[in-house]
Amino acid sequence: MNSIEKNEIPVMISVRGEQYFDGVDPDATELMTEGTLETTDTGLLLRYRESELTGMEGTETTFEIGPRRVILRRSGSVSSQMVFEEGQQHTSLYETPYGELTVDIQTSRLLHNLTERGGLMEIKYSIAVEHVVTGRNCFKIRVRAK
């Protein structure tokens, strides 16, 4: 294999997203989709296309997974970037059809045992839009080779 070829492994991805708001029952979304997992010099790249179910059809989601930090990038009909690092807050710009918003991400838990064969990743974080806390969120992502 030459250095230009990507080492993408076809995978099945189960994503459960949960949102918690004060005084309201949690809102959960589950997505089962195909994607790819790729090893890099710094960790792993997990990619998949969003669907109608998530409200982001036409968007590609990429998780750049390192030992202590995960970067979530979305590009397409929805574009955003979120940085998850346990115990840290990161601020990103979120592009919407109505303009740009600042989004603060405070990560309280970041665990994963992902390898090129798959595994599990869990990210718990709070989110503030324009510096106003809007809720707490959790991603639980299971990856297995196809």
Side-chain angles (χ1 to χ4, degrees):
M1 180 157 88
N2 69 42
S3 61
I4 297 174
E5 290 181 52
K6 289 184 178 181
N7 185 23
E8 291 183 346
I9 301 161
V11 294
M12 288 302 299
I13 304 166
S14 169
V15 180
R16 179 175 174 84
E18 299 171 352
Q19 295 180 313
Y20 304 89
F21 304 99
D22 291 338
V24 180
D25 287 339
D27 180 30
T29 303
E30 292 193 45
L31 170 69
M32 179 70 88
T33 189
E34 295 179 356
T36 61
L37 187 63
E38 178 183 342
T39 56
T40 68
D41 292 339
T42 58
L44 297 167
L45 287 179
L46 178 64
R47 286 192 182 96
Y48 63 89
R49 292 219 168 264
E50 297 287 344
S51 74
E52 249 179 58
L53 179 66
T54 62
M56 293 184 280
E57 190 173 20
T59 299
E60 181 178 78
T61 295
T62 301
F63 284 92
E64 183 180 313
I65 304 160
R68 289 180 287 287
R69 177 166 48 175
V70 172
I71 300 172
L72 166 65
R73 289 188 179 93
R74 290 193 169 115
S75 59
S77 60
V78 173
S79 295
S80 66
Q81 175 177 299
M82 291 189 250
V83 178
F84 304 102
E85 191 171 6
E86 192 167 314
Q88 300 293 316
Q89 177 175 306
H90 291 274
T91 301
S92 301
L93 275 180
Y94 196 96
E95 294 176 25
T96 74
Y98 312 103
E100 293 180 344
L101 300 171
T102 59
V103 177
D104 302 318
I105 303 296
Q106 176 72 44
T107 306
S108 59
R109 182 179 179 106
L110 173 60
L111 294 172
H112 79 80
N113 64 1
L114 289 170
T115 68
E116 59 277 351
R117 290 178 297 194
L120 176 66
M121 178 167 57
E122 182 177 6
I123 303 171
K124 290 185 178 181
Y125 62 100
S126 62
I127 189 167
V129 177
E130 294 296 314
H131 311 294
V132 176
V133 175
T134 59
R136 296 179 326 275
N137 299 277
C138 179
F139 280 123
K140 292 180 183 173
I141 301 170
R142 292 190 185 280
V143 180
R144 65 178 174 82
K146 281 178 62 174

